Amino acid sequence: QAALAQSRLAARSCDRLHWLSSLPPALHNMAFKATASTFRDMALPLAHEVVEDLCKEHDKEIEQLWKEQQDLRQALNESVRIMREEVLPREKLMHEILEDLEGAYKAGTHQLHSAGQAHMMDALNKQGELSKDRDKLVDPLQQMEQELERIATLLSHGPVKPDIQGWAAPTGGGRGGSNQGRGAPGGT
C-alpha cells in the first residue's frame, strides 16, 4: 500500500516536474528560485492525496479481512456442526461396537478354554478307566500265556502209548484214532 502511494506521488511529482520543464527558460529560473513555503504548498495537497489513498486502501483491506474472518467463522461453525452431529455419534457407536466385540471375544475365549479343559478332563478320566480295564486284562493274559506254555510243554513229550494188547497206532496220519485193530470197547 505504501509502495502504491509512493508510486502515485512520484507520478504526480513527475507530472509537475514535466510542467516545470515546459515553462520558458526565463520562467523556469524563477520557478527554481521559490521560497521554502513553495515546497510546502506543493507537497501538502500531494500529502493529503497520499493519506486519502492510504485510508481508502486501509479501509478496503479491513473490509477484506472482515469478510475473510466471517467466511472462516462460518466454515468453522459448519465443521463443528458436522463433527457434533455426524462424526461424534459415529465415533461413540464405533467405541460401543468395539467394547461389545471385546466382550464377545473374552466370553468366547473363556467358553472355548472351559470346553477345552472339560474335554481334557473327560479324556483323562476315560484314559484312567481304560487303564483300569487294561489292568484287569493283564492277569487273564498272563494266565493264558502260562496255560499255553504248560500245554506246549505237555505236547513236547510226545504221545503216551496205551498199554493195550493188540493196539497199534493208526497209520494214515489222520487225527484221532480209528477203531481198526481194536477190540470192542470194554472188551479184551
Side-chain angles (χ1 to χ4, degrees), residues 109-131:
T109 304
H110 179 70
Q111 183 180 3
L112 183 64
H113 180 70
S114 297
Q117 279 186 327
H119 181 71
M120 286 295 290
M121 292 306 294
D122 288 346
L124 287 174
N125 290 338
K126 188 70 170 174
Q127 180 189 8
E129 290 173 12
L130 290 174
S131 182

Side-chain angles (χ1 to χ4, degrees), residues 83-100:
M83 295 290 279
R84 282 184 178 161
E85 294 175 5
E86 295 180 20
V87 175
L88 193 58
R90 276 188 266 163
E91 283 294 317
K92 286 181 180 178
L93 180 63
M94 219 148 72
H95 280 271
E96 290 172 6
I97 290 171
L98 287 174
E99 286 175 10
D100 291 346

Side-chain angles (χ1 to χ4, degrees), residues 67-77:
K67 185 179 182 306
E68 184 179 340
Q69 180 187 17
Q70 294 303 316
D71 291 345
L72 288 172
R73 289 178 66 88
Q74 183 180 2
L76 188 58
N77 279 330

Side-chain angles (χ1 to χ4, degrees), residues 165 183-184 186-188:
Q165 204 175 24
T188 50

Side-chain angles (χ1 to χ4, degrees), residues 22-124:
S22 66
L23 290 176
L27 291 175
H28 187 57
N29 289 336
M30 281 177 67
F32 283 116
K33 292 182 183 177
T35 63
S37 66
T38 307
F39 177 75
R40 182 179 298 278
D41 292 341
M42 287 176 57
L44 275 176
L46 291 175
H48 186 64
E49 278 185 49
V50 168
V51 169
E52 282 299 316
D53 287 346
L54 284 173
C55 287
K56 285 179 187 175
E57 286 297 318
H58 179 264
D59 291 344
K60 185 179 174 183
E61 192 169 317
I62 292 295
E63 286 177 23
Q64 286 177 344
L65 288 172
W66 177 257
K67 185 179 182 306
E68 184 179 340
Q69 180 187 17
Q70 294 303 316
D71 291 345
L72 288 172
R73 289 178 66 88
Q74 183 180 2
L76 188 58
N77 279 330
E78 182 65 16
S79 296
V80 168
R81 183 193 67 77
I82 289 172
M83 295 290 279
R84 282 184 178 161
E85 294 175 5
E86 295 180 20
V87 175
L88 193 58
R90 276 188 266 163
E91 283 294 317
K92 286 181 180 178
L93 180 63
M94 219 148 72
H95 280 271
E96 290 172 6
I97 290 171
L98 287 174
E99 286 175 10
D100 291 346
L101 282 174
E102 182 181 6
Y105 174 76
K106 284 181 181 177
T109 304
H110 179 70
Q111 183 180 3
L112 183 64
H113 180 70
S114 297
Q117 279 186 327
H119 181 71
M120 286 295 290
M121 292 306 294
D122 288 346
L124 287 174

Side-chain angles (χ1 to χ4, degrees), residues 126-138:
K126 188 70 170 174
Q127 180 189 8
E129 290 173 12
L130 290 174
S131 182
K132 287 178 186 176
D133 290 345
R134 185 186 55 86
D135 290 344
K136 289 178 186 175
L137 297 176
V138 168

